[in-house]
Amino acid sequence: MAMALQLSTFVTQYLASGTHTNPTKSTNALRMGILSTAMINPAALIHPAETHGGVVIHGVASRDLSSAESYAKKYSIPHAYGSYSALLSDPAIEAVYISLPNGMHCEWAVRALEAGKHVLLEKPVAANADEARVVFETARRCERVCVEAFHWRFHPAAHVVDAIVASGRYGEVRKTSARMTTPSGSLPMSDIRWNYELAGGALMDMTYVLSSTRYFLHQPQLDEVLEATSVPSPEDSRVDQSTTATLRFSSSLSSTPITSTIYADMARSNSFWVIPRLWELPSISIECEEATIYFYNFMMPHLYHYIAITDKAGNTSYQKHYCFGPKWGVRGESWWSTYRYQLEAFVDKVQGREPVCWVDPEDSVQQMEAIDKVYEATGLGKRKGTQELVGSGEE
């Protein structure tokens, strides 16, 4: 389902680029490079940058020059590099987007930061919390911006839900439940998400379930893993095909500990054995004393979403928010994707302006700490980076 959402984003952004005039690029536009030729790049950066006057994509790197050149030609990127190091050595590039496999995030984020580049780093920020600390300590030391690309957190709909929960209108939060699934067979076993050496696994790829839980509880540390189980991949028992966990958090939104369940599944069984569960878009339910707030498709709300508020009498009201909201105000457009909002904030931060919203380093480290704790509770153990497993080197 995650891949289907990304493909839908490609289509909507392509249509948007055809119906909206792209702005003239500023003379001091941020020059960005891309490490990898991953499928996510067009949706996550290339197309959003087309509609941002303050960003230009200067180059793309692959371990194979011909692949980089072909990719650059396809997306009208002026420069191609046959190694990641070559791109980082280009003084014209000021910032990089890293969409390499999870296990390579730490190594190449550190190299990029030490090369003087700002970094937009795909989630999860690293293979484990130890690596996450290394990444952000390097950013601090090098005085560069580095942010985990939890794009959904930059969308107005997320801010509206947060405002509703935090207002106290419906009382204290009592429990939450988040899920994200992909229909069985959607991800071929050759996909990097199934690769242990690249820090694959359901909870790593679908870390959104934990991200949304922590975000709406105001980013608390995980108090305790009450229960956690994983279904191992049939190809590699070290990789979780699915993970279910019950967690306990202390939050400013409640005077008592909050119980949260998360469910991530990369091979969700079909309904009635034949019907793929295409309707199971990433969603979170937040139960308060007086009502339950349900946010459907929190991961890609720009495609479609709804916010349902059901009171104790069973009455339900619905909301949708594609722009405006309590943080962006009149800034932004209804056709902007989560990635486009994220890019707006990233450019502001890099250029010394206060972003409308942000993912702080401490938050990202605590996110990885929680992932580690869940994996340890399942018995699989926390993920390892590629350097720890096989030594350094380019993909």
Side-chain angles (χ1 to χ4, degrees), residues 37 60-72 79-83 86:
T37 54
V60 60
S62 170
R63 62 180 178 177
D64 177 72
L65 180 58
S66 62
S67 295
E69 289 175 336
S70 175
Y71 197 87
H79 302 281
Y81 309 82
S83 72

Side-chain angles (χ1 to χ4, degrees), residues 149-309:
F150 269 124
H151 55 96
W152 75 273
R153 286 180 47 168
F154 294 84
H155 196 271
H159 305 156
V160 169
V161 173
D162 179 55
I164 292 171
V165 175
S167 71
R169 176 181 177 183
Y170 299 106
E172 294 187 350
V173 177
R174 289 293 176 247
K175 62 177 66 174
T176 69
S177 179
R179 75 172 184 212
M180 180 174 177
T181 67
T182 294
S184 179
S186 299
L187 294 175
M189 296 310 296
S190 59
D191 191 279
I192 61 172
R193 295 169 178 84
W194 297 105
N195 191 319
Y196 179 76
E197 281 70 27
L198 297 177
L203 187 58
M204 291 292 284
D205 183 60
M206 299 177 172
T207 179
Y208 295 100
V209 293
L210 189 51
S211 169
S212 61
T213 299
R214 294 186 58 258
Y215 176 76
F216 292 120
L217 296 183
H218 288 189
Q219 298 87 49
Q221 285 185 306
L222 174 60
D223 289 343
E224 183 181 3
V225 179
L226 300 176
E227 184 180 7
T229 58
S230 291
V231 174
S233 162
E235 300 291 329
D236 189 339
S237 61
R238 299 171 298 175
V239 176
D240 56 315
Q241 172 179 298
S242 69
T243 290
T244 305
T246 303
L247 314 173
R248 178 174 290 158
F249 292 96
S250 295
S251 168
S252 60
L253 300 178
S254 176
S255 58
T256 59
I258 297 168
T259 299
S260 298
T261 60
I262 59 171
Y263 170 49
D265 194 337
M266 295 197 297
R268 179 75 157 114
S269 60
N270 293 337
S271 179
F272 301 108
W273 297 280
V274 294
I275 305 174
R277 299 173 188 266
L278 299 176
W279 59 88
E280 287 190 353
L281 298 182
S283 303
I284 183 168
S285 175
I286 305 161
E287 183 179 330
C288 301
E289 292 174 295
E290 303 300 329
T292 296
I293 299 138
Y294 183 68
F295 188 7
Y296 181 72
N297 195 20
F298 69 81
M299 178 187 164
M300 295 282 193
H302 57 274
L303 296 177
Y304 173 78
H305 74 273
Y306 65 80
I307 302 162
I309 303 174

Side-chain angles (χ1 to χ4, degrees), residues 312-385:
K312 294 302 180 180
N315 302 307
T316 302
S317 61
Y318 294 90
Q319 302 181 28
K320 296 177 184 178
H321 300 273
Y322 292 93
C323 56
F324 305 114
K327 292 190 177 182
W328 287 104
V330 297
R331 190 175 176 186
E333 302 289 346
S334 61
W335 50 268
W336 279 14
S337 70
T338 53
Y339 298 106
R340 179 60 178 82
Y341 279 106
Q342 175 179 262
L343 184 60
E344 190 83 358
F346 181 71
V347 173
D348 281 351
K349 186 74 170 182
V350 168
Q351 295 186 341
R353 299 184 293 270
E354 185 66 26
V356 165
C357 48
W358 198 244
V359 182
D360 293 323
E362 181 182 9
D363 185 5
S364 291
V365 170
Q366 290 179 353
Q367 171 79 4
M368 287 310 309
E369 288 175 340
I371 291 174
D372 289 353
K373 288 179 180 178
V374 173
Y375 269 128
E376 288 167 349
T378 67
L380 293 179
K382 67 182 182 181
R383 308 294 86 177
K384 297 179 179 179

